[in-house]
């Protein structure tokens, strides 16, 4: 009655995994039933010898020495020992299979936790470059993570109507952060812990990020309290909203000179809507670019100081500007390309 279970060869939680899992369960149940039947057959034969035999029946004696698979032993003792050995071996194999099944179940539980998480209410994740630890931290205020990316990676991919915020202690986070593939949240916030007390239009917030991308998120994404890092990212933009429902950026400071680069300060890419407002802007290359059917607003609450190269750039997208073109502090105030419009 030897058998082998199929292994889970990849990490995909798909129909193929379900079929393999169900087939393994059916095989174990069948195997246990066969073992139980063998035990019952053995007990019945022993009862027949002990209780029914008159002591002089040759057939009953032979029957007592015959195993469940038809093998005739020389003595009853050797037959019983053989059956016991077979049963013990079969149970050992069953335990091995059950261990394999337990391991597979644990892996499944871990994958489900990574996918769905435990976020059933609003959740704050804390980050501190100086005090945090990505290995021992758990994202609480008492045990923060050290990097923003670690915090972002810990957000469940599927939640139900909650707000999730990453709160960072002011520091220089030399990271290209990617927050991606989240469904079901109301808001996803990335903010500095002093974002409600420091006015970025007046002073540096002390919370530096090289770049941040919000990608494939069905929620409102909000960035607050960030100051542009002195490090120039390899990515094409400082802030990128890629395929998100709604994107808001506020109380941020963009004051490092990018006029000699090809970088975009804030980019809306395939994003349904959003507002860029209440920020300090100086000496940028392209202040705001919207591409591929994005829609966004450039708020009158922004504070532009030194001239940038290009103000607003709409490519196959719509930008609603609270400014007249003549009031946008840029060498080229507006660019409309491939059907893009600025209103």
């Amino acid at each position: 009655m030897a058998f082998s279970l199929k292994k889970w060869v990849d990490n995909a939680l798909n129909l193929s995994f379900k079929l393999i899992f169900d087939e393994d369960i059916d095989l174990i149940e069948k195997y246990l039933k066969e073992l139980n039947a063998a035990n019952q057959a053995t007990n019945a034969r022993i009862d027949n010898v002990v209780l029914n035999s008159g002591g002089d029946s040759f057939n009953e004696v032979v029957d007592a020495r015959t195993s469940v698979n038809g093998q005739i032993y020389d003595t009853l003792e050797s037959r019983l020992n053989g059956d016991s050995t077979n049963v013990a071996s079969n149970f050992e194999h069953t335990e091995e299979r059950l261990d394999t099944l337990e391991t597979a179940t644990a892996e499944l539980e871990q994958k489900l936790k990574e996918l769905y998480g435990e976020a059933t209410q609003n959740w704050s994740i804390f980050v501190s470059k100086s005090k945090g630890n990505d290995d021992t931290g758990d994202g609480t205020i008492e045990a923060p993570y050290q990097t923003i990316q670690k915090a972002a990676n810990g957000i469940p991919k599927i939640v139900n109507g909650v707000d999730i915020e990453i709160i960072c202690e002011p520091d220089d986070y030399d990271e290209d952060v990617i927050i991606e593939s989240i469904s079901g949240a109301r808001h996803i916030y990335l903010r500095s812990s002093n974002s409600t007390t420091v006015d970025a239009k007046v002073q540096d917030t002390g919370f530096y990020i090289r770049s941040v991308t919000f990608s494939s998120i069905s929620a409102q994404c909000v960035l607050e309290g960030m100051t542009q890092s002195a490090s120039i990212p390899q990515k094409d933009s400082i802030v990128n909203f890629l395929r998100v429902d709604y994107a808001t950026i506020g109380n941020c400071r963009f004051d490092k000179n990018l006029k000699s680069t090809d970088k975009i300060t804030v980019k809306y890419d395939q994003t349904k809507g959003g507002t860029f407002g209440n920020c300090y802007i100086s000496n940028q290359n392209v202040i705001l670019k919207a591409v591929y059917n994005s829609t966004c607003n450039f708020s009158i609450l922004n504070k532009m100081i030194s001239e940038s190269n290009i103000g607003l750039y709409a490519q196959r997208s719509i930008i609603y500007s609270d400014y007249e073109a003549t009031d946008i502090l840029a060498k080229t105030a507006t660019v409309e390309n491939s059907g893009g419009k600025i209103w």
Side-chain angles (χ1 to χ4, degrees):
M1 292 183 288
F3 73 99
S4 61
L5 299 177
K6 294 183 178 180
K7 294 184 177 180
W8 184 14
V9 296
D10 57 48
N11 291 330
L13 299 177
N14 52 24
L15 178 59
S16 176
F17 171 78
K18 180 182 182 300
L19 293 175
I20 291 173
F21 189 83
D22 290 346
E23 186 177 335
D24 286 347
I25 292 295
D26 292 341
L27 189 58
I28 289 175
E29 289 179 347
K30 178 182 177 183
Y31 196 65
L32 290 174
K33 288 179 181 179
E34 291 176 355
L35 289 176
N36 185 51
N39 284 336
Q40 290 179 351
T42 299
N43 290 334
R45 289 178 180 273
I46 293 173
D47 290 344
N48 183 51
V49 173
V50 175
L51 300 177
N52 299 327
S53 175
D56 56 1
S57 171
F58 176 77
N59 290 336
E60 289 177 345
V61 173
V62 172
D63 186 57
R65 292 188 286 107
T66 305
S67 68
V68 69
N69 59 7
Q71 180 181 354
I72 300 175
Y73 289 83
D74 292 335
T75 65
L76 176 59
E77 180 183 16
S78 62
R79 179 263 167 127
L80 294 176
N81 289 337
D83 282 351
S84 297
T85 301
N86 289 335
V87 170
S89 176
N90 289 336
F91 271 116
E92 181 179 354
H93 287 303
T94 301
E95 289 178 355
E96 292 176 358
R97 305 309 179 203
L98 289 173
D99 288 342
T100 300
L101 181 60
E102 184 177 357
T103 300
T105 302
E107 292 176 356
L108 176 60
E109 289 177 350
Q110 179 61 31
K111 291 297 179 183
L112 291 174
K113 183 177 180 181
E114 292 174 4
L115 180 62
Y116 293 98
E118 299 172 347
T120 57
Q121 57 186 358
N122 295 343
W123 184 20
S124 297
I125 309 171
F126 294 89
V127 179
S128 172
K129 185 175 182 179
S130 61
K131 303 172 186 175
N133 190 303
D134 284 353
D135 294 325
T136 61
D138 58 10
T140 61
I141 194 169
E142 297 82 8
Y145 294 125
Q146 187 178 46
T147 64
I148 304 171
Q149 192 61 58
K150 176 68 174 180
N153 292 346
I155 299 175
K157 300 305 181 185
I158 300 175
V159 295
N160 186 18
V162 300
D163 291 340
I164 298 176
E165 58 180 353
I166 301 175
I167 303 175
C168 304
E169 185 178 69
D171 211 319
D172 188 357
Y173 296 88
D174 196 23
E175 302 180 50
D176 294 309
V177 178
I178 300 176
I179 305 172
E180 63 181 341
S181 303
I182 302 168
S183 176
R186 287 194 302 260
H187 300 87
I188 303 293
Y189 294 95
L190 174 58
R191 58 163 60 118
S192 63
S193 58
N194 63 355
S195 62
T196 59
T197 58
V198 174
D199 187 348
K201 292 191 292 185
V202 176
Q203 67 183 86
D204 193 314
T205 66
F207 173 46
Y208 308 99
I209 308 176
R210 190 165 59 226
S211 73
V212 57
T213 298
F214 294 85
S215 174
S216 303
I217 300 175
S218 60
Q220 180 175 351
C221 300
V222 182
L223 175 63
E224 295 177 329
M226 168 189 163
T227 292
Q228 179 184 352
S229 171
S231 300
I232 298 176
Q234 293 183 351
K235 296 179 179 293
D236 68 348
S237 52
I238 308 301
V239 180
N240 185 15
F241 297 108
L242 173 61
R243 293 189 299 272
V244 305
D245 278 0
Y246 197 89
T248 301
I249 178 168
N251 196 29
C252 292
R253 189 176 183 90
F254 303 100
D255 58 359
K256 308 302 186 297
N257 196 322
L258 294 179
K259 293 172 70 174
S260 63
T261 74
D262 60 354
K263 303 304 178 183
I264 303 164
T265 303
V266 177
K267 182 179 179 183
Y268 283 74
D269 187 346
Q270 304 165 67
T271 291
K272 299 176 183 178
T275 298
F276 178 2
N278 200 33
C279 294
Y280 180 96
I281 305 164
S282 176
N283 287 314
Q284 301 299 292
N285 177 43
V286 179
I287 295 174
L288 171 62
K289 186 173 184 178
V291 300
Y292 298 114
N293 299 312
S294 295
T295 303
C296 58
N297 168 250
F298 188 67
S299 170
I300 194 69
L301 296 177
N302 287 311
K303 182 178 182 180
M304 293 176 283
I305 302 299
S306 298
E307 183 182 73
S308 297
N309 288 336
I310 298 174
L312 310 181
Y313 193 126
Q315 178 179 322
R316 298 179 181 174
S317 300
I318 297 174
I319 298 176
Y320 295 97
S321 175
D322 293 345
Y323 288 90
E324 297 293 335
T326 54
D327 295 326
I328 296 174
L329 192 54
K331 184 176 181 180
T332 301
T334 61
V335 175
E336 297 179 339
N337 180 263
S338 301
K341 293 296 294 182
I342 299 173
W343 299 96

